[in-house]
């Protein structure tokens, strides 16, 4: 079985231009979704770069604390014929950026104009449990729901997307996702590049066939996750971005269902890493590349002050090791052209302010979560709960069950959670309702990465790796999720639920 998967991967790695690899067509179409006897990985589609001529648009921003989001069918391109995408307004795929300050109370109304249920999840924020977007609580077509709660998170870039069981992956892929930009006084005092020089980038990959967006994962696509040959930034395929001479702040979300990016600039110039999922790091760090799994965010300052007008750069995704079917190709994501105008040229701070990450030595206990299932190296485990299309991906041998509370924790307590990837595919692990820190990693990479030195809500676990995270549970009782943010894996059942109990019991 391993040999067979190895063959699949090698075949596509060696023949990058093979049509069968590009459309994922090979022989896996013969898998009918019922035969799970082989963990059969679809190869990552080979990325086909576009022309890099379409100008990257600014994502619309909603200033203020109230917004109405109206999920509905939209065209993936303004001039394309079919309503193959989804948006939070008639303007097109993706939603507006919600721009907020810590302490704001938001009131966001979801008016469902879809023909199926949906809901909203606030990825990275600490929202009340009943507003966190539970897989079993959706808003019916034609109905509305208002999400009102205070923003307790620090400055950072968070995001929203649906989380309704059975449709999270498809709805997010078709365009239901948006950014949440939170600021606070500590961040504002640093005077990081803002306005034109602060550029949100939502990276995604899409599969386009005959001009329309395709979402039709077979069971072998579920093994790898659904990936596409077309890379989009803020919904635009292979766009071009004009930047001013000076510092530019790139605030990046990997909003793909499954694709991992190894981001670097073409000349591999140093980028100043200033933030992670949960806001600013304590200190900036120079990096030349960053491996980003689905759900993760990064905050990078890049200095274009010494480039002459018209200089062209590209943001690349480089090849990387140990990515399962991914990482075999280097491709360009975004063209960057340096403009004649001059932007932010003041020196950037290296001290970004104190952050108080969880102290692992205070941990009351350690819980172990083993990511396993059909893709397990050297055998299968946890297959008993398998039904229909689900069950190839498990955590501690279990698939998602809405009737079950898998773990119970106490508000205010510190714990270590150890995640072990026993499979031969990567898993981007995500925990709802809080930010944590990555304290150790082994079995592949041997330490937390520089971009994991701050607050995180999602991190990548490559094949064979184990990582430990330290969490302090907020005083926000109720039920929250932990899952793989490869959205096909999540839909396949790689998701558990934990309950936060208040410190006094109950
Ligand atoms: Cu963005 Cu449950 O996740
Ligand atoms: Cu989340
Ligand atoms: Cu996974």
């Amino acid at each position: 079985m391993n040999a067979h998967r190895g063959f699949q991967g090698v075949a596509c790695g060696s023949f990058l231009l093979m049509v069968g690899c590009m459309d994922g067509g090979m022989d896996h179409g013969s898998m009918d979704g019922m035969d799970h006897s082989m963990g059969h990985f679809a190869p990552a589609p080979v990325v086909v770069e576009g022309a890099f001529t379409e100008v990257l648009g600014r994502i619309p921003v909603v200033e203020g604390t109230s917004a109405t989001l109206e999920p509905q069918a939209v065209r993936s391109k303004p001039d394309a014929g079919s309503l193959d995408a989804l948006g939070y307004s008639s303007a097109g795929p993706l939603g507006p950026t919600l721009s907020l300050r810590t302490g704001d109370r938001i009131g966001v109304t979801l008016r469902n104009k879809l023909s199926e249920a949906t809901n909203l999840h606030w990825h990275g924020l600490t929202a009340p449990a009943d507003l966190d977007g539970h897989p079993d609580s959706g808003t019916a077509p034609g109905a509305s729901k208002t999400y009102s709660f205070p923003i307790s998170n620090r400055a950072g870039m968070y995001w929203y997307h649906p989380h309704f069981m059975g449709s999270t992956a498809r709805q997010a892929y078709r365009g239901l996702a948006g950014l949440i930009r939170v600021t606070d006084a500590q961040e504002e005092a640093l005077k990081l590049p803002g306005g034109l020089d602060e550029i949100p980038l939502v990276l995604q990959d899409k599969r386009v066939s005959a001009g329309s967006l395709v979402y039709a994962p077979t069971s072998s696509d579920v093994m790898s996750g659904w990936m596409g040959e077309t890379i989009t930034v803020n919904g635009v395929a292979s766009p071009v971005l004009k930047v001013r001479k000076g510092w530019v702040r790139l605030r990046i979300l990997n909003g793909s269902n499954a694709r991992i990016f190894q981001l670097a600039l073409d000349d591999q110039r140093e980028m100043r890493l200033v933030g992670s999922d949960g806001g600013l790091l304590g200190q900036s760090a120079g990096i030349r590349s960053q491996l980003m799994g689905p759900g993760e965010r990064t905050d990078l300052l890049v200095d274009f002050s010494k480039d002459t007008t018209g200089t062209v750069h590209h943001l690349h995704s480089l090849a990387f090791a140990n990515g399962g079917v991914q990482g075999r190709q280097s491709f360009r994501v975004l063209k960057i052209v340096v403009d004649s105008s001059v932007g932010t040229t003041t020196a950037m701070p290296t001290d970004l302010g104190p952050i108080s990450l969880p102290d692992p030595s205070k941990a009351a206990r350690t819980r172990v979560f083993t990511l396993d299932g059909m893709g397990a190296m050297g055998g299968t485990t946890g297959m008993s709960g398998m039904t229909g299309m689900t069950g190839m991906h498990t955590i501690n041998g279990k698939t998602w069950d809405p009737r079950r509370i898998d773990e119970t924790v106490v508000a205010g307590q510190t714990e270590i959670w150890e995640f072990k990837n026993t499979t031969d595919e990567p898993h981007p692990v995500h925990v709802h309702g809080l930010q944590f820190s990555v304290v150790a990693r082994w079995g592949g990479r041997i330490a937390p990465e520089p971009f994991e030195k701050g607050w995180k809500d999602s991190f990548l676990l490559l094949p064979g790796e184990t990582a430990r995270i330290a969490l302090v549970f907020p005083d926000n009782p109720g039920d929250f999720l932990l899952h793989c943010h490869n959205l096909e894996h999540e839909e396949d059942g790689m998701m558990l639920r934990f309950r936060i109990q208040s410190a006094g019991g109950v």
Side-chain angles (χ1 to χ4, degrees):
M1 166 173 160
N2 279 327
H4 183 63
R5 285 196 303 274
F7 170 75
Q8 282 288 311
V10 170
C12 283
S14 322
F15 303 102
L16 284 177
L17 298 175
M18 242 171 70
V19 171
C21 285
M22 284 179 70
D23 66 11
M26 304 227 16
D27 61 343
H28 65 255
S30 61
M31 298 285 288
D32 60 5
M34 299 305 291
D35 176 11
H36 293 141
S37 59
M38 299 203 306
H40 191 134
F41 292 92
V46 172
V47 168
V48 179
E49 294 177 358
F52 296 102
T53 49
E54 195 170 337
V55 174
L56 187 77
R58 303 293 291 199
I59 301 173
V61 177
V62 180
E63 297 285 353
T65 55
S66 59
T68 302
L69 299 175
E70 300 186 317
Q72 58 193 278
V74 297
R75 295 175 217 288
S76 52
K77 282 185 152 282
D79 51 351
S82 62
L83 292 166
D84 56 1
L86 302 175
Y88 281 111
S89 76
S90 59
L94 301 178
T97 300
L98 308 180
S99 185
L100 302 163
R101 286 184 67 84
T102 303
D104 280 351
R105 171 171 278 275
I106 60 163
V108 176
T109 299
L110 180 74
R111 283 183 46 199
N112 186 2
K113 295 184 161 182
L114 302 173
S115 53
E116 60 177 352
T118 189
N119 63 11
L120 285 173
H121 167 58
W122 312 94
H123 183 128
L125 296 181
T126 295
D130 60 338
L131 299 179
D132 196 47
H134 271 288
D136 45 3
S137 133
T139 296
S144 295
K145 174 177 174 114
T146 297
Y147 295 77
S148 179
F149 61 92
I151 301 293
S152 58
N153 289 68
R154 62 201 291 262
M157 193 172 85
Y158 307 93
W159 63 301
Y160 59 89
H161 62 77
H163 222 299
F164 193 63
M165 198 58 200
S167 51
T168 303
R170 176 171 39 82
Q171 290 182 356
Y173 172 80
R174 290 201 178 275
L176 294 186
L179 299 175
I180 304 166
R181 176 185 182 272
V182 177
T183 56
D184 63 17
Q186 182 195 340
E187 185 197 44
E188 283 166 349
L190 295 171
K191 303 231 180 318
L192 298 174
L196 286 174
D197 303 324
E198 179 185 347
I199 300 157
L201 302 173
V202 180
L203 309 186
Q204 296 176 307
D205 61 331
K206 305 292 174 188
R207 206 175 293 194
V208 181
S209 174
S212 52
L213 199 54
V214 183
Y215 189 76
T218 62
S219 63
S220 43
D221 291 312
V222 171
M223 288 306 295
S224 317
W226 182 253
M227 286 171 272
E229 76 297 325
T230 300
I231 307 297
T232 62
V233 183
N234 301 350
V236 181
S238 303
V240 55
L241 167 72
K242 282 197 173 170
V243 296
R244 305 200 290 176
K245 289 197 182 79
W247 288 102
V248 166
R249 184 178 184 190
L250 302 177
R251 307 191 71 177
I252 304 175
L253 162 68
N254 181 352
S256 303
N257 279 31
R259 191 177 282 281
I260 296 162
F261 296 93
Q262 165 91 307
L263 296 176
L265 284 158
D266 45 5
D267 54 2
Q268 299 214 30
R269 68 175 59 190
E270 188 181 270
M271 308 180 284
R272 297 302 300 173
L273 173 77
V274 294
S276 56
D277 301 341
L280 296 172
L281 307 180
Q283 303 245 301
S284 70
I287 59 169
R288 296 185 195 278
S289 67
Q290 174 166 358
L291 192 66
M292 278 187 93
E296 289 186 280
R297 285 88 68 209
T298 190
D299 200 342
L300 299 168
L301 305 182
V302 184
D303 184 8
F304 292 107
S305 65
K306 293 177 189 71
D307 291 279
T308 54
T309 302
T311 302
V312 172
H313 292 285
H314 285 92
L315 181 65
H316 285 244
S317 179
L318 305 176
F320 56 90
N322 198 20
V325 300
Q326 298 201 55
R328 290 151 197 238
Q329 190 192 2
S330 169
F331 53 86
R332 295 179 296 179
V333 170
L334 173 71
K335 179 177 178 178
I336 298 171
V337 181
V338 181
D339 215 351
S340 58
S341 56
V342 176
T344 309
T345 53
T346 48
M348 288 293 120
T350 51
D351 262 326
L352 305 170
I355 57 172
S356 51
L357 297 173
D359 177 356
S361 71
K362 295 223 171 81
R365 61 175 286 184
T366 298
R367 295 175 205 252
V368 177
F369 297 94
T370 304
L371 309 183
D372 44 24
M374 287 291 300
M377 290 187 262
T380 59
T381 51
M383 297 303 297
S384 52
M386 190 176 89
T387 53
M389 278 292 286
T390 65
M392 297 185 290
H393 299 91
T394 53
I395 303 177
N396 290 343
K398 298 185 281 189
T399 54
W400 167 250
D401 187 336
R403 295 158 303 187
R404 208 178 55 218
I405 304 295
D406 298 285
E407 307 290 335
T408 300
V409 302
V410 179
Q413 281 196 352
T414 304
E415 291 195 5
I416 302 285
W417 286 8
E418 181 174 301
F419 290 88
K420 286 176 180 309
N421 183 357
T422 66
T423 76
D424 34 18
E425 50 190 328
H427 298 288
V429 175
H430 172 48
V431 181
H432 280 213
L434 48 78
Q435 296 285 327
F436 53 77
S437 75
V438 179
V439 294
R441 176 190 268 109
W442 64 91
R445 291 172 290 169
I446 53 166
E449 301 263 19
F451 45 82
E452 293 172 329
K453 298 259 157 82
W455 290 105
K456 294 288 290 171
D457 56 53
S458 310
F459 66 97
L460 197 54
L461 209 50
L462 295 177
E465 287 185 344
T466 297
R468 289 185 155 201
I469 65 173
L471 324 81
V472 180
F473 301 100
D475 189 11
N476 187 36
D479 296 342
F480 297 90
L481 304 171
L482 71 122
H483 63 89
C484 179
H485 216 288
N486 175 313
L487 295 181
E488 283 67 40
H489 294 179
E490 178 201 327
E491 296 284 15
D492 190 45
M494 202 171 224
M495 176 161 71
L496 302 182
R497 173 154 49 190
F498 67 100
R499 173 166 291 174
I500 302 180
Q501 277 183 349
S502 21
V506 190

